[in-house]
Amino acid sequence: MTVKLSPGQTIGILGGGQLGRMMAVAAKHMGFRIAVLDPKEDCPTAQVADHHVQAAYNDLEAAKQLSGLSDVVTYEFENVDLEVANLLEKEGKLPQGSYPLKVTQNRELEKRVSVDAGLNVPEYRIIQTVEQLKDAVQQIGFPAIVKTITGGYDGKGQFKLEKEEDLQEAVSFIAPDSTYIIEQFIAFDREISVVFTRSQLGEINYFPIAENKHKQQILHQTQIPAAITEQIADKAKETARKLAEELDVVGTFTVELFVNEDNVYVNEMAPRPHNSGHYTIEACNVSQFEQHVRAICGLPLLTVQAFPAAVMVNILGEDREELFRRLTDLPEFHLHDYGKEEARPKRKMGHVTLIGNTLDELLHRIEENKLATW
Ligand code: AMP
């Protein structure tokens, strides 16, 4: 199925968070109209959309209403109800298809697809009981990390096991009738992500590989260029390409990888633009959002060109007010605020991006200005 849209036609977005908002803004530059489905009044995407269907994400009637308003539908998060996705796919409105959603909603499927594509993943076991957890950790060894199989993000639903005694605490983490994955903890040298876009015809364009620094398992900073060899960069892109083909990806897609010496391991993937690709808005001639819109609307992708260096820093709830107070002292910082009313601690409220010629110079400026307290 190939979908082709012209400016003036409408893109429907499932989910009304910041990713939908940035997608919508990019689409608006090209003259598209936006409809969004999200339960929250005044959500980040609704603030910039033409139509807001205010309903639960799994409300089939609301999904039909969104589809009726839209010429094509996309999503800004992976936990889209599969029934909704299947319905939209059947109507010929979802060029990305439902399969990448099905896989990325489930950590076991992500691992299986990666292994089938011949890629490295941390050693893992699927468990449901404390007994199974104990057996699995015997085989995998310490340190290991236990994760809920679905639904976790930003380190939520994860538990690290450093030593035998931690198994006691894990007992309270394992709920009855739930499934978990336990993974070998990779002592990575660095974490990187490959953000790329694939057109409906299968053409792939990569953004520069980004290096990610997490704090408390939440993305704190993304830097380009990533401090990796050409050989690792090639392996990372090859990994992304294999997954893209395996999943028949359309649109912008992200693969997060651990780099350990000469190896790359697939950690996670996201069938959408990603926080680690926000730097592309200012640092590249085309952003991850514009490229995504181009792919789902059947427009040609642009060849990516980038500034030599960029750093993106996430702004969480605890730091937004202080950042706003200091804006006049931060002349070279590009500001993004997502329009979220409630600034809860650890909630992503916005980000800032610095672009320039060398990473050292940018990191120095970030260090001088101490933007994050977490
Ligand atoms: P995830 O939600 O799976 O991306 O995990 C969040 C963060 O936890 C990752 O970005 C890593 O920093 C860390 N992490 C998760 N799984 C592993 C692992 N198997 N080995 C090492 N670090 C991990």
Side-chain angles (χ1 to χ4, degrees):
M1 176 186 84
T2 342
V3 176
K4 250 189 179 5
L5 257 68
S6 305
Q9 289 191 285
T10 302
I11 300 171
I13 305 177
L14 289 163
Q18 63 265 23
L19 297 171
R21 178 189 177 96
M22 291 183 267
M23 241 181 234
V25 169
K28 289 246 155 210
H29 281 298
M30 292 181 273
F32 295 107
R33 292 184 178 275
I34 299 296
V36 59
L37 187 154
D38 192 278
K40 269 192 230 86
E41 189 189 350
D42 199 42
C43 61
T45 313
Q47 292 169 23
V48 299
D50 301 272
H51 309 280
H52 182 188
V53 179
Q54 202 182 329
Y57 301 125
N58 59 357
D59 181 333
L60 274 184
E61 284 311 309
K64 282 182 195 157
Q65 202 184 333
L66 180 79
S67 174
L69 288 164
S70 311
D71 298 287
V72 70
V73 178
T74 184
Y75 37 80
E76 61 121 37
F77 67 146
E78 52 274 35
N79 290 315
V80 170
D81 187 86
L82 282 183
E83 227 183 310
V84 166
N86 289 334
L87 173 101
L88 295 165
E89 193 171 18
K90 271 199 203 108
E91 288 185 351
K93 293 271 175 80
L94 195 69
Q96 292 163 274
S98 57
Y99 183 55
L101 285 173
K102 185 177 165 194
V103 171
T104 55
Q105 283 177 7
N106 183 304
R107 292 185 189 271
E108 183 186 8
L109 279 183
E110 277 187 348
K111 294 267 191 295
R112 276 209 239 144
V113 164
S114 304
V115 171
D116 287 349
L119 304 170
N120 294 331
V121 298
E123 195 184 337
Y124 72 96
R125 301 281 185 285
I126 304 301
I127 59 131
Q128 284 179 316
T129 64
V130 174
E131 278 316 303
Q132 288 172 346
L133 172 69
K134 287 180 180 166
D135 284 349
V137 90
Q138 287 295 328
Q139 294 161 22
I140 289 175
F142 292 102
I145 187 157
V146 187
K147 303 176 181 180
T148 50
I149 207 135
T150 56
Y153 67 99
D154 285 346
K156 292 189 176 72
Q158 296 194 5
F159 186 87
K160 190 172 171 193
L161 294 163
E162 306 267 9
K163 51 190 179 323
E164 198 75 36
E165 293 84 81
D166 295 340
L167 277 168
Q168 297 305 327
E169 249 182 276
V171 173
S172 55
F173 182 80
I174 305 291
D177 303 322
S178 298
T179 306
Y180 300 85
I181 186 166
I182 172 168
E183 293 175 15
Q184 161 200 24
F185 193 84
I186 303 285
F188 53 78
D189 302 321
R190 46 196 86 249
E191 288 186 86
I192 59 172
S193 51
V194 185
V195 181
F196 64 91
T197 314
R198 188 164 181 263
S199 74
Q200 295 178 44
L201 302 174
E203 175 205 349
I204 298 185
N205 274 44
Y206 300 92
F207 290 98
I209 293 176
E211 180 162 347
N212 298 319
K213 307 282 180 188
H214 290 82
K215 278 190 182 175
Q216 300 165 36
Q217 285 158 311
I218 302 175
L219 181 65
H220 170 52
Q221 261 188 35
T222 296
Q223 310 172 353
I224 62 150
I228 51 173
T229 59
E230 218 169 293
Q231 190 196 10
I232 289 288
D234 289 345
K235 279 191 187 174
K237 282 190 192 165
E238 189 56 10
T239 298
R241 189 187 59 74
K242 285 188 176 154
L243 286 173
E245 284 168 8
E246 190 80 18
L247 297 173
D248 198 12
V249 166
V250 171
T252 293
F253 193 96
T254 307
V255 183
E256 292 183 82
L257 301 163
F258 298 133
V259 180
N260 182 250
E261 295 178 0
D262 288 338
N263 299 312
V264 298
Y265 295 83
V266 177
N267 172 31
E268 267 201 312
M269 42 190 124
R272 51 166 170 82
H274 191 259
N275 195 170
S276 64
H278 290 355
Y279 79 87
T280 61
I281 296 175
E282 287 89 9
C284 300
N285 61 323
V286 59
S287 74
Q288 61 167 349
F289 301 102
E290 180 179 342
Q291 204 79 308
H292 179 72
V293 170
R294 288 178 157 272
I296 59 161
C297 292
L299 297 173
L301 302 183
L302 298 186
T303 305
V304 176
Q305 294 181 50
F307 267 85
V311 180
M312 186 260 0
V313 184
N314 269 335
I315 306 299
L316 301 191
E318 49 269 61
D319 294 320
R320 178 161 75 163
E321 226 175 279
E322 170 72 2
L323 173 76
F324 284 2
R325 262 199 298 276
R326 290 172 46 201
L327 277 184
T328 46
D329 304 329
L330 300 168
E332 298 294 329
F333 286 71
H334 292 273
L335 172 71
H336 293 257
D337 186 82
Y338 307 146
K340 295 180 185 174
E341 203 180 335
E342 201 192 337
R344 286 195 301 273
K346 304 284 171 293
R347 186 179 195 203
K348 289 176 184 167
M349 303 303 293
H351 69 266
V352 292
T353 305
L354 268 180
I355 53 176
N357 286 319
T358 69
L359 190 54
D360 277 354
E361 152 216 339
L362 302 183
L363 290 176
H364 181 68
R365 299 209 53 185
I366 303 256
E367 184 57 32
E368 264 178 356
N369 286 289
K370 294 256 179 286
L371 296 169
T373 55
W374 49 295

